[in-house]
Amino acid sequence: MAMAAYVKLILGSVAFSIFWVLAVFPTVPLLPIGRAAGSLLGGILMVIFQILTVDQAYQAIDLSILVLLFGTMVVSGYLERADAFKYLGKLLTWKSKGAKDLICRICLISAISSALFTNDTSCMVLTEFVLKIARQNHLPPQPFLLALASSANIGSTATPIGNPQNLVIATQSGVSFGEFLIGILPAAVVGLVCNALLLIFMYGDLLSVKKGQQDSTVAFNGDGVDHQFSPATMSHVETTNVDSVHHESLRNRVNSKQAMGAAEVPWSLNGAYWDHRNQKLWKSCVYIVVVGMLVSLLTGFNMSGTAITAALALMILDFKDAVPCLEKVSYSLLIFFCGMFVTVQGFNKTGIPSALWELMEPYAKIDEISGIVVLALVILVLSNLVSNVPTVLLLGARMAASAALISTAYEKKAWLILAWVSTVAGNLSLLGSAASLIVCEQASRVPNLGYTLTFWNHLKFGVPSTLLVTGIGLLLLKS
């Protein structure tokens, strides 16, 4: 892409810089308008500065990604009502055999739930469980919270619906759900094992407790944990401001258990009455729909269409006004994505990303080990500087095009490398991942049990874990 006119280059860079500052520091004192409004501002400036026309701005917005995000958020809301996350929490302590066993369980459950329900959702709903288990058994919360956050990121790499950057990659690349899963699952499994072993190695002394304290772990079943959460409403975009996780409208949204407790409506079906008092039947239907959605995704159905169909099916099965459920959707996240699509497209039009890629491309050949290392380092750094979704939007098409020139077989591998590294990069520091920030924020606010996971404590584990897991995963990715 030829360099744009000098004035437009400067103005486009200014617009992108404003977007970046407000995305990374949404409460910056000079303009504390938040991430969603900052994203819209960046997009509008691209039009005002004539980097893009209005029609080009509209065309830059990827509706398929927005529909997929919307559908998965609605489905997550119904899963919360069906107590799916409560059951996952109880699995943490069922027949537990001690602290190290608990670490492994947290890693496994966090990873699986993140692959199916997104990493941020898993961290939002499991943090209080994990903290309470640690406190009740006189165990240090730090290794357990690190296990939850880091495993959520690793597990979310395995599916296109595990995190927002994977949604973008799956949509833009055309890689099917099944191909995505097969390509990254081996890396995710081995990476998860290595992450758990590193936790046990680094915190083994802290996890050694007396027999009497271990016995109490088995007795805990998680019944004392309050589940007033809204899994679809937290930010899915990486940030470097802890307050941004809390400032999302989590506390202002309608409580699902109250708002959806409206008058029950009997429904005649084959001579029987559908009654919401029969919770087991309703929950079973929710789980059946979700399983059907996952099976459809695995068999190659359109991801956006499948997600929105599953969401609509759940609304119909609920047989009541869907407004309370729709109010749980994080519309600010959808708005953020709209603005980000326009802003990144405008920044691409300046020619700066293409010029930088042309400088780096000779050293980033995907068919060479040194090239893969260079690519991984660039993705790792960018994901922690500008966050992973913008990194994917800036690098994705360029990496794929460069790989396709070598061989079409390498194109899919380029997308998988981008998905793997951009997500695992979030484990590097507390500020590199929204999932980690959610764990930190949630843990600090638990009444009487609060714990602060500091930046440096996270960094001591995050650096070796990220480098180890990223490196091993790159060796196991299947194209």
Side-chain angles (χ1 to χ4, degrees), residues 21-142:
V21 170
L22 293 175
V24 176
F25 307 104
T27 57
V28 62
L30 293 178
L31 195 63
I33 61 176
R35 186 182 300 109
S39 176
L40 282 180
L41 176 60
I44 291 297
L45 287 176
M46 287 295 182
V47 176
I48 292 175
F49 294 157
Q50 298 183 0
I51 310 299
L52 297 173
T53 66
V54 174
D55 289 339
Q56 288 173 333
Y58 285 137
Q59 292 170 3
I61 298 173
D62 194 326
L63 288 178
S64 61
I65 294 175
L66 297 180
V67 170
L68 184 54
L69 275 172
F70 175 83
T72 53
M73 286 190 280
V74 172
V75 171
S76 292
Y78 279 105
L79 280 170
E80 182 265 329
R81 281 188 58 205
D83 293 331
F85 301 106
K86 181 177 181 179
Y87 297 146
L88 285 175
K90 288 186 176 181
L91 284 175
L92 293 176
T93 53
W94 182 67
K95 295 185 178 180
S96 174
K97 297 181 180 179
K100 294 179 181 179
D101 175 53
L102 182 59
I103 282 282
C104 294
R105 289 184 185 218
I106 291 173
C107 289
L108 180 62
I109 291 174
S110 175
I112 293 175
S113 61
S114 296
L116 299 178
F117 313 124
T118 78
N119 52 355
D120 295 351
T121 296
S122 297
C123 289
M124 176 65 68
V125 300
L126 292 176
T127 297
E128 191 169 345
F129 266 118
V130 170
L131 182 59
K132 187 163 187 177
I133 292 170
R135 291 298 198 192
Q136 287 191 345
N137 293 281
H138 310 289
L139 294 167
Q142 180 181 331

Side-chain angles (χ1 to χ4, degrees), residues 136-457:
Q136 287 191 345
N137 293 281
H138 310 289
L139 294 167
Q142 180 181 331
F144 299 99
L145 296 176
L146 288 172
L148 175 62
S150 59
S151 299
N153 283 330
I154 295 171
S156 72
T157 62
T159 67
I161 59 175
N163 55 62
Q165 60 269 22
N166 280 9
L167 294 177
V168 174
I169 289 171
T171 303
Q172 292 190 347
S173 67
V175 177
S176 70
F177 191 100
E179 290 175 328
F180 203 105
L181 180 64
I182 294 172
I184 293 187
L185 185 59
V189 171
V190 177
L192 185 67
V193 172
C194 292
N195 189 64
L197 292 176
L198 183 62
L199 279 163
I200 293 173
F201 173 76
M202 292 183 64
Y203 300 100
D205 294 339
L206 295 176
L207 297 175
S208 299
V209 295
K210 296 179 181 180
K211 181 69 171 64
Q213 294 173 336
Q214 289 180 352
D215 291 341
S216 63
T217 304
V218 180
F220 176 68
N221 60 17
D223 290 337
V225 180
D226 181 21
H227 287 276
Q228 302 300 322
F229 50 80
S230 186
T233 59
M234 76 292 298
S235 170
H236 287 70
V237 183
E238 314 306 294
T239 176
T240 60
N241 189 300
V242 176
D243 291 336
S244 66
V245 176
H246 179 64
H247 109 281
E248 286 282 348
S249 52
L250 288 171
R251 290 192 173 187
N252 298 326
R253 299 200 184 272
V254 178
N255 182 290
S256 62
K257 293 182 180 178
Q258 293 175 350
M260 295 189 181
E264 298 173 356
V265 181
W267 177 29
S268 178
L269 179 62
N270 295 331
Y273 283 99
W274 180 284
D275 191 331
H276 278 287
R277 286 174 294 185
N278 192 339
Q279 287 295 313
K280 289 185 179 179
L281 180 59
W282 183 80
K283 290 178 183 179
S284 298
C285 290
V286 172
Y287 299 145
I288 290 171
V289 170
V290 173
V291 170
M293 180 185 78
L294 296 175
V295 171
S296 298
L297 292 172
L298 284 170
T299 53
F301 281 81
N302 178 274
M303 285 185 282
S304 299
T306 299
I308 198 66
T309 300
L312 183 59
L314 292 173
M315 294 180 202
I316 294 172
L317 286 172
D318 197 30
F319 208 69
K320 61 173 65 171
D321 192 345
V323 169
C325 179
L326 295 176
E327 287 177 340
K328 291 167 63 64
V329 172
S330 180
Y331 294 102
S332 61
L333 176 64
L334 299 178
I335 292 171
F336 175 85
F337 265 73
C338 290
M340 180 178 63
F341 286 137
V342 177
T343 304
V344 172
Q345 178 66 12
F347 189 55
N348 280 329
K349 295 260 303 185
T350 67
I352 293 176
S354 294
L356 294 176
W357 175 254
E358 288 172 3
L359 291 174
M360 187 188 72
E361 187 177 13
Y363 310 100
K365 299 296 184 181
I366 200 170
D367 59 338
E368 301 173 1
I369 295 177
S370 59
I372 293 176
V373 171
V374 170
L375 275 176
L377 289 175
V378 170
I379 298 168
L380 190 69
V381 172
L382 277 180
S383 294
N384 279 273
L385 287 179
V386 303
S387 93
N388 46 28
V389 178
T391 296
V392 166
L393 290 173
L394 288 170
L395 292 181
R398 293 178 174 85
M399 283 181 57
S402 177
L405 293 176
I406 301 172
S407 170
T408 54
Y410 283 114
E411 186 175 355
K412 186 174 77 171
K413 185 176 181 180
W415 286 110
L416 296 181
I417 288 175
L418 183 59
W420 173 254
V421 180
S422 65
T423 303
V424 177
N427 285 338
L428 185 67
S429 75
L430 183 63
L431 305 179
S433 166
S436 297
L437 288 172
I438 288 170
V439 169
C440 177
E441 179 73 4
Q442 291 289 100
S444 67
R445 296 180 181 276
V446 177
N448 303 320
L449 299 174
Y451 176 82
T452 300
L453 180 63
T454 66
F455 175 87
W456 293 111
N457 284 338

